Amino acid sequence: MHRLRTTVARLGPLAAAQTAQTAPQSRLLALEGGARTFQPVRSLSASVAAEPFLNGTSSNYVEEMYYAWLEDRRNVHKSWDIFFRNANAGAPPGAAYQSPPPLSGPSDGMTGVRMLVGAQPNVEKLVKDHLAVQSLIRAYQVRGHHIAKLDPLGISCVDFDDAPCTVGFQNVGLYGLTEGDLDKVFRLPASTFIGGNASALPLREIIRRLEMAYCQHIGVEFMFINDVEQCQWIRQKFETPGIMQFSLEEKRTLLGRMIRSTRFEEFLQRKWSSEKRFGLEGCESLIPALKTIIDRSSQCGVESVILGMPHRGKLNVLANVIRKDLDQIFCQFDSKLEAADEGSGDVKYHLGMYHRRMNRVSDRYITLSLMANPSHLEAVDPVVQGKTKAEQFYSGDTEGKRVMSILLHGDAAFAGQGIVYETFHLSDLPSYTTHGTIHVVVNNQIGFTTDPRMARSSPYPTDVARVVNAPIFHVNADDPEAVMFVCNVAAEWRNTFHKDVVVDLVSYRRNGHNEMDEPMFTQPLMYKQIKKQKGVLQTFVEKLVAEGVVTTQHYEEEVARYDKICEDAFAHSKDEKILHIKHWLDSPWPETKSDSTAVGITSSFRHAVVSGSSSAQTECLRSVA
Ligand SMILES: Cc1ncc(C[n+]2csc(CCOP(=O)(O)OP(=O)(O)O)c2C)c(N)n1
């Protein structure tokens, strides 16, 4: 280091444009016995002001380059090589510098852009065009979701404040590119993965691949995330060519899940046509969505999942995700059931349940716990986080690798309820974090009777999640494969970064708010469109049959098989005369004595979490430790 400083001092007069007075031969530092030595190298008899790039601030840089050059001439750019050679040969200041040689072809050892630039006479235009292509790629990453086909109904009125559409073939002019540039090859920047193994592509292909990644049935909102690694991770997940492909088995499993989700609601509708059940019709892909998240999380090592959700689709989740016995669900529709245990019963779409089962995809046991929820929308959110935190604490799961939470939301409630924002702000606090929650929004584009234009001021119902830098994956819920894909990514995100993530299932509500409401009175235009909408299962099975994944006969047999399961359970449910509340608890409380202790712990922990008191929480945990 000392030597370096000395050299700076010796270069100083040169850089400060002083004239050397002491000797006709000044000296630059050279290697000293394997290290550096002084050798007379150049004359400073003339003013070095003739070399304007040598000034006080560049001296360190020049000095380092000089050392590098001494070790190997090829360590520096050719222009500096010539400069140092001339200087060593005694060229006077101002004469040592020569214009760099033209950048030409591979023989100069350079690749990529330089090669492309070198091949063109108009270097400036080419650099400008490359920068334009980079901007275009970035525009897709930032705004691709604006034009993605997210709404199955095609009536979405998401308001982007009239932001102009800056992507697409028709808009290349905005970047100073022309149609004639579409077939030119451009080098891809490191901030995109659309190339796969290719490092350069024609502009036409660049745009096509970006449209595939960002403007189909998935809209990815992530460019507000501050962490570069996280942004790169997401780009890779969505941009890599051919990444959204599924095996035949995966497609068949998905179809089976769609059948159960759809036929369950249809069965309830047939049997209890005048009962409120807050059906899932219009967002049936919620069931495969949750199952995919659970499968992938289980593969990643999660052993326990705590879920919280509102009324919409709750019976379906109980039946087809948690796997509550169907007869137990059906008997809830019988008003003559007598309560067997203490504690009041609640409406069936508020009840919770706990179940431990083998996950067939991961081949590991997993515990699923769906919390009971009150009518008060989103109030269950911090309760789920409290239960998750407690389970993580007691099982020594300090990083949330084994216990995780999933929260479901309605679009209106997610945007409207302040508790959602409060819960997000607990998500990354050391004492409260549950190391990443996966949020799934059943975005049926309506809240009771109100459409989004009158229900929120933000473009999306999910904008509240941006405050914690959670990525948001909007997906057209009429495309079950796209839903499955984003749910896999969401589970991997949670497993990789242990941060919140949102899946926004853009869907519709086929019936009224409940089955007794007539939505044509309040939203006639929307419901005119919904009446024309083909069911998602129908569309999906037609696609799979066309692809040769299943036959119509296979599909019909699967439907008949599930319908029979429902019919048999319905017959059994008639034998149930008594309602056991203990069958509807979201945690296993085995026997009476430990029950009361455990219930006490949970309720005080819930209180602590809901009231936001960490000292109460700690106290509660200490009292049972
Ligand atoms: C805190 C609270 N406010 C209002 C209500 C009344 N309410 C029940 S459902 C509902 C609409 C909810 O819409 P959304 O969240 O989009 O869910 P969806 O029913 O459409 O699935 C409202 C306002 C409630 N239950 N809780």
Side-chain angles (χ1 to χ4, degrees):
M1 279 308 283
H2 174 70
R3 280 279 180 221
L4 288 177
R5 298 275 168 265
T6 314
T7 310
V8 174
R10 283 177 189 279
L11 281 168
L14 183 88
Q18 290 169 0
T19 306
Q21 294 161 355
T22 48
Q25 296 269 299
S26 179
R27 291 173 296 179
L28 285 174
L29 197 62
L31 288 176
E32 185 179 3
R36 285 156 178 160
T37 55
F38 289 101
Q39 284 175 10
V41 284
R42 68 170 297 190
S43 161
L44 284 178
S45 55
S47 167
V48 292
E51 282 166 343
F53 54 86
L54 289 178
N55 57 46
T57 50
S58 66
S59 58
N60 274 339
Y61 177 63
V62 175
E63 177 196 0
E64 280 306 305
M65 258 197 304
Y66 181 66
Y67 286 151
W69 176 78
L70 285 175
E71 278 158 20
D72 186 340
R73 288 193 299 109
R74 283 169 304 179
N75 283 346
V76 300
H77 187 265
K78 213 161 196 164
S79 56
W80 281 104
D81 177 32
I82 293 169
F83 174 80
F84 289 133
R85 274 203 257 178
N86 288 344
N88 263 8
Y97 172 76
Q98 283 174 17
S99 298
L103 298 164
S104 59
S107 59
D108 67 1
M110 297 173 204
T111 51
V113 177
R114 286 180 183 179
M115 268 173 62
L116 291 169
V117 170
Q120 305 290 324
N122 189 347
V123 173
E124 201 178 315
K125 159 107 174 85
L126 204 77
V127 170
K128 231 171 99 192
D129 287 354
H130 268 84
L131 292 175
V133 170
Q134 286 204 16
S135 300
L136 183 64
I137 292 171
R138 192 179 155 80
Y140 271 99
Q141 293 166 341
V142 176
R143 292 178 188 273
H145 59 93
H146 287 203
I147 56 166
K149 302 161 196 90
L150 300 176
D151 177 13
L153 301 176
I155 58 167
S156 170
C157 50
V158 175
D159 180 6
F160 297 112
D161 289 336
D162 297 327
C165 176
T166 56
V167 294
F169 290 100
Q170 69 284 6
N171 286 319
V172 291
L174 291 174
Y175 300 85
L177 297 162
T178 63
E179 225 186 298
D181 293 320
L182 288 175
D183 293 313
K184 286 189 191 151
V185 174
F186 290 89
R187 190 163 171 78
L188 298 166
S191 57
T192 187
F193 293 83
I194 53 167
N197 294 328
S199 57
L201 287 174
L203 179 55
R204 194 183 296 282
E205 183 62 12
I206 292 177
I207 294 178
R208 195 190 69 77
R209 292 191 189 190
L210 288 165
E211 298 262 332
M212 289 305 290
Y214 290 113
C215 307
Q216 302 306 307
H217 285 160
I218 297 172
V220 195
E221 254 194 297
F222 69 106
M223 289 292 281
F224 50 81
I225 295 175
N226 298 323
D227 187 301
V228 178
E229 187 202 345
Q230 291 173 7
C231 284
Q232 283 294 79
W233 188 93
I234 291 173
R235 289 178 186 130
Q236 185 168 24
K237 290 287 171 194
F238 289 94
E239 292 182 0
T240 305
I243 197 158
M244 205 178 108
Q245 275 168 7
F246 302 104
S247 65
L248 290 183
E249 196 191 333
E250 283 171 326
K251 288 188 184 193
R252 286 185 193 130
T253 303
L254 180 56
L255 176 64
R257 289 172 174 178
M258 286 302 297
I259 289 173
R260 285 199 290 280
S261 174
T262 310
R263 299 301 288 191
F264 177 79
E265 297 294 351
E266 288 180 7
F267 185 82
L268 295 186
Q269 182 60 26
R270 272 203 305 281
K271 297 290 180 199
W272 297 280
S273 57
S274 56
E275 279 265 0
K276 286 187 196 172
R277 63 186 155 85
F278 297 100
L280 197 51
E281 290 97 330
C283 192
E284 289 91 341
S285 47
L286 173 69
I287 300 303
L290 292 176
K291 294 194 70 97
T292 303
I293 291 171
I294 291 166
D295 289 348
R296 193 78 195 96
S297 301
S298 172
Q299 285 175 320
C300 294
V302 168
E303 294 164 5
S304 174
V305 179
I306 292 127
L307 297 100
M309 71 179 292
H311 49 274
R312 176 91 41 224
K314 183 134 188 206
L315 296 178
N316 209 326
V317 170
L318 278 167
N320 288 316
V321 177
I322 314 290
R323 289 301 182 99
K324 179 83 181 161
D325 291 339
L326 290 178
D327 48 352
Q328 284 290 319
I329 295 174
F330 296 157
C331 75
Q332 292 292 313
F333 285 88
D334 184 349
S335 56
K336 295 184 291 297
L337 279 182
E338 277 175 42
D341 340 273
E342 242 184 78
S344 69
D346 199 346
V347 284
K348 47 197 162 296
Y349 40 83
H350 284 170
L351 297 173
M353 197 220 148
Y354 151 94
H355 190 40
R356 182 169 158 77
R357 60 192 295 254
M358 176 63 89
N359 180 286
R360 290 211 206 109
V361 174
S362 67
D363 231 9
R364 293 160 179 242
Y365 271 101
I366 187 151
T367 302
L368 303 173
S369 169
L370 178 62
M371 305 286 288
N373 63 295
S375 284
H376 199 103
L377 294 167
E378 305 287 350
V380 75
D381 299 4
V383 184
V384 166
Q385 302 300 9
K387 181 170 161 68
T388 308
K389 186 80 186 165
E391 247 190 61
Q392 287 175 346
F393 176 86
Y394 283 112
S395 62
D397 182 18
T398 51
E399 293 169 53
K401 289 190 170 161
R402 281 177 279 120
V403 183
M404 69 173 270
S405 55
I406 300 177
L407 283 176
L408 279 74
H409 315 267
D411 53 318
F414 198 47
Q417 284 298 104
I419 200 166
V420 174
Y421 182 83
E422 294 173 39
T423 309
F424 268 116
H425 270 287
L426 291 174
S427 71
D428 227 0
L429 300 182
S431 307
Y432 292 89
T433 180
T434 53
H435 307 282
T437 298
I438 301 181
H439 300 263
V440 181
V441 182
V442 175
N443 179 0
N444 52 24
Q445 310 186 71
I446 194 161
F448 221 135
T449 53
T450 312
D451 74 61
R453 289 170 306 171
M454 301 296 148
R456 59 173 192 261
S457 298
S458 58
Y460 291 113
T462 50
D463 286 330
V464 61
R466 293 169 61 127
V467 293
V468 292
N469 273 330
I472 300 161
F473 306 143
H474 307 280
V475 56
N476 184 323
D478 260 13
D479 182 345
E481 288 176 37
V483 169
M484 180 154 98
F485 180 76
V486 295
C487 287
N488 262 321
V489 177
E492 286 167 21
W493 165 274
R494 195 266 168 198
N495 184 60
T496 307
F497 298 109
H498 289 280
K499 285 185 52 174
D500 283 26
V501 52
V502 179
V503 174
D504 176 25
L505 298 175
V506 188
S507 52
Y508 59 93
R509 191 189 67 198
R510 187 168 286 282
N511 303 316
H513 175 65
N514 64 59
E515 287 64 28
M516 299 295 95
D517 271 8
E518 176 46 72
M520 274 306 257
F521 291 151
T522 47
Q523 293 291 345
L525 295 180
M526 186 184 205
Y527 275 80
K528 227 169 122 188
Q529 183 62 34
I530 290 174
K531 277 193 182 11
K532 286 192 242 157
Q533 193 76 9
K534 205 188 239 187
V536 55
L537 175 61
Q538 192 56 35
T539 316
F540 186 48
V541 76
E542 282 170 13
K543 175 178 180 283
L544 294 192
V545 170
E547 285 175 8
V549 176
V550 291
T551 59
T552 311
Q553 190 194 349
H554 167 90
Y555 165 65
E556 283 165 0
E557 281 168 8
E558 283 294 296
V559 169
R561 204 162 63 89
Y562 186 69
D563 284 357
K564 183 168 183 321
I565 291 173
C566 289
E567 285 294 349
D568 290 349
F570 177 61
H572 281 134
S573 72
K574 293 189 168 154
D575 302 337
E576 286 293 337
K577 299 282 178 250
I578 293 173
L579 172 65
H580 295 275
I581 300 295
K582 68 180 180 192
H583 292 165
W584 292 92
L585 292 174
D586 50 41
S587 301
W589 307 122
E591 292 309 327
T592 342
K593 193 153 184 292
S594 51
D595 270 3
S596 58
T597 325
V599 171
I601 293 164
T602 310
S603 58
S604 39
F605 193 84
R606 280 176 195 174
H607 168 75
V609 171
V610 174
S611 68
S613 151
S614 63
S615 56
Q617 221 181 92
T618 317
E619 191 50 44
C620 161
L621 294 175
R622 198 177 294 129
S623 67
V624 294

